[in-house]
Amino acid sequence: MEQEKITTAKTAETEKTAKISKKRILSGIQPSGDLTLGSYLGAIRNWAALADEYDCYYMLADLHTLTVRQVPAELRRHTLTQVAAYIACGLDPEKNVLFVQSHVPAHAQLGWVLDCYTMFGELSRMTQFKDKSAKNADNINAGLFTYPALMAADILLYQADLVPVGGDQKQHVEICRDIASRFNGIYGDVFKIPEPYIPQVGARVMSLTSPESKMSKSDKDPNGCVYMLEKPEDIARKFKKAVTDSDASVRFDPAGKPGVSNLMQIYAAATGRTFEAIEAEFAGRGYGDFKKTVGDAVVELLRPIREETEHLLADKAYLEGVYRAGAERAAYTANRTLSKVFKKVGLLAR
Ligand code: TYM
């Protein structure tokens, strides 16, 4: 009996030490629409593999979505679906902290503090701000402009070592590092300086119909973007319609052959094949055959995720349990950083 107690205590101690020494990860996706193949290949797919090695926090960045007008009921539906999709993509809620950003008030609180340590000039240089303000010319709001400071708060609250994102978010992780270094320069080592973690293949999935721009849920052409939970026949149809070129050879050349190279990237990410192997596989075969094979590979990649997401969505109580528990665990970590920051900047403790 006594021996058993000692062993249990030892295990708890070992787990605690392991947790302390594990590096930490934070990332998130905006639930502003259905998840895309781009966000899957660029981000989520790489998250599940990290759970054993890292202490992982994955959020649903719902506060960020408010920078563009949302339909309230749709936002709620997308948020719940995204919780289910995270789990269906292999994120075990016991091993990963899955939470909704707005459920942890520390994000908005630290976001405000960091607004005051972020410069107008550096925010003006953000590519996403320029793109989104061009797309939403009638709603260039302050939130759209200060978005990177809130994203910095998301990351810094958890003292994250790594931020796994697609290539388009690299600039935001860089400004987060600048803000953290500036703050640390004034107040000492308050924040861990995070590193971006960008996949080798799939970091930039392009639109199927205009391969010079990123695949995105805000794409005006519905055929350009593939959604993770889309019906197989729709996915297959979009790939059949994908833009290629008049050269009829499957060769990786992003500048000269952006459409074909994008399809090769997607196929490589979906199957683990190298570009050389793909070129050899389709040598002498037409584009029709190539596009069909890529479409089929994506359908098979996404099929189990769609089925599992639908299955999980039937159990709302379970999903609520997941995000409630996630918010509690996230808030515990986030509030420790927030208290430290409040103290450092001179806010009176309650
Ligand atoms: P969001 O919601 O636009 O995209 C979510 C993730 O998916 C990646 N991604 C892509 N990767 C490759 N090809 C594509 N076509 C593609 N489209 C999207 C993005 O790089 C991202 O990793 N600001 C973030 C959300 C966020 C966040 C954070 C991320 C808020 N706070 C803290 C990391 C840490 C965004 O808008 O991602």
Side-chain angles (χ1 to χ4, degrees):
M1 191 67 174
E2 201 50 37
Q3 184 58 40
E4 207 173 275
K5 257 192 205 159
I6 294 168
T7 319
T8 318
K10 267 191 179 163
T11 318
E13 193 52 40
T14 322
E15 273 181 11
K16 207 168 142 199
T17 322
K19 210 162 174 75
I20 290 167
S21 58
K22 266 187 183 176
K23 287 200 169 182
R24 182 146 321 143
I25 278 185
L26 177 123
S27 196
I29 297 181
Q30 297 189 59
S32 51
D34 292 322
L35 288 165
T36 69
L37 178 65
S39 46
Y40 179 64
L41 295 179
I44 320 178
R45 193 171 77 128
N46 311 303
W47 296 354
L50 302 165
D52 289 328
E53 212 182 319
Y54 297 90
D55 187 17
C56 301
Y57 289 75
Y58 295 118
M59 61 171 207
L60 292 95
D62 61 345
L63 292 175
H64 283 273
T65 72
L66 303 180
T67 54
V68 173
R69 284 287 174 270
Q70 302 292 322
V71 177
E74 288 287 284
L75 177 58
R76 275 188 284 273
R77 184 175 67 78
H78 286 136
T79 308
L80 194 67
T81 307
Q82 195 167 305
V83 176
Y86 274 12
I87 304 169
C89 286
L91 298 178
D92 177 346
E94 299 293 324
K95 289 189 181 168
N96 301 273
V97 182
L98 308 183
F99 68 101
V100 179
Q101 184 187 28
S102 65
H103 294 178
V104 181
H107 289 253
Q109 292 172 291
L110 183 62
W112 170 254
V113 174
L114 297 185
D115 275 346
C116 305
Y117 293 81
T118 307
M119 300 302 134
F120 184 89
E122 58 190 346
L123 289 173
S124 316
R125 287 192 290 275
M126 293 292 113
T127 317
Q128 185 165 304
F129 172 68
K130 290 187 213 158
D131 285 354
K132 286 207 172 174
S133 43
K135 279 189 189 158
N136 302 284
D138 55 346
N139 184 22
I140 306 178
N141 57 69
L144 199 60
F145 189 62
T146 60
Y147 183 117
L150 180 59
M151 179 159 159
D154 300 337
I155 299 167
L156 300 176
L157 276 175
Y158 298 89
Q159 307 288 352
D161 296 276
L162 287 183
V163 185
V165 282
D168 63 318
Q169 293 298 318
K170 188 165 178 247
Q171 197 185 32
H172 284 161
V173 181
E174 275 161 7
I175 191 176
C176 167
R177 290 167 55 88
D178 293 343
I179 298 168
S181 303
R182 180 174 302 133
F183 197 93
N184 285 354
I186 306 170
Y187 302 105
D189 278 344
V190 178
F191 297 126
K192 176 81 69 64
I193 309 291
E195 297 282 343
Y197 183 83
I198 295 168
Q200 303 249 310
V201 187
R204 203 166 158 74
V205 178
M206 310 307 274
S207 156
L208 296 188
T209 49
S210 38
E212 50 298 322
S213 42
K214 186 187 82 158
M215 180 180 283
S216 143
K217 30 197 167 193
S218 58
D219 197 331
K220 294 250 162 12
D221 181 352
N223 289 320
C225 183
V226 171
Y227 295 98
M228 278 178 60
L229 307 177
E230 220 168 346
K231 287 199 212 97
E233 56 273 27
D234 292 337
I235 298 178
R237 183 180 41 78
K238 288 184 180 179
F239 276 97
K240 276 189 198 143
K241 286 195 172 163
V243 164
T244 46
D245 50 54
S246 55
D247 169 41
S249 76
V250 174
R251 190 162 39 81
F252 192 69
D253 171 10
K257 296 165 71 66
V260 169
S261 304
N262 185 39
L263 293 173
M264 286 180 74
Q265 285 261 16
I266 294 173
Y267 191 51
T271 61
R273 278 178 213 176
T274 62
F275 294 142
E276 294 77 50
I278 299 171
E279 286 177 1
E281 184 181 349
F282 294 98
R285 288 162 67 182
Y287 281 159
D289 210 3
F290 171 54
K291 290 200 280 187
K292 183 179 178 313
T293 311
V294 180
D296 289 348
V298 171
V299 164
E300 290 320 314
L301 180 73
L302 298 181
R303 188 191 299 280
I305 298 171
R306 178 173 51 84
E307 288 173 359
E308 181 60 10
T309 304
E310 280 165 8
H311 173 72
L312 288 164
L313 277 171
D315 191 350
K316 301 259 179 331
Y318 168 71
L319 295 175
E320 274 169 27
V322 167
Y323 65 67
R324 285 212 184 107
E328 241 172 72
R329 289 165 72 189
Y332 176 77
T333 308
N335 287 336
R336 289 173 62 157
T337 303
L338 187 70
S339 307
K340 199 167 171 189
V341 169
F342 277 6
K343 193 168 170 198
K344 290 281 184 185
V345 298
L347 301 182
L348 183 66
R350 193 163 56 155

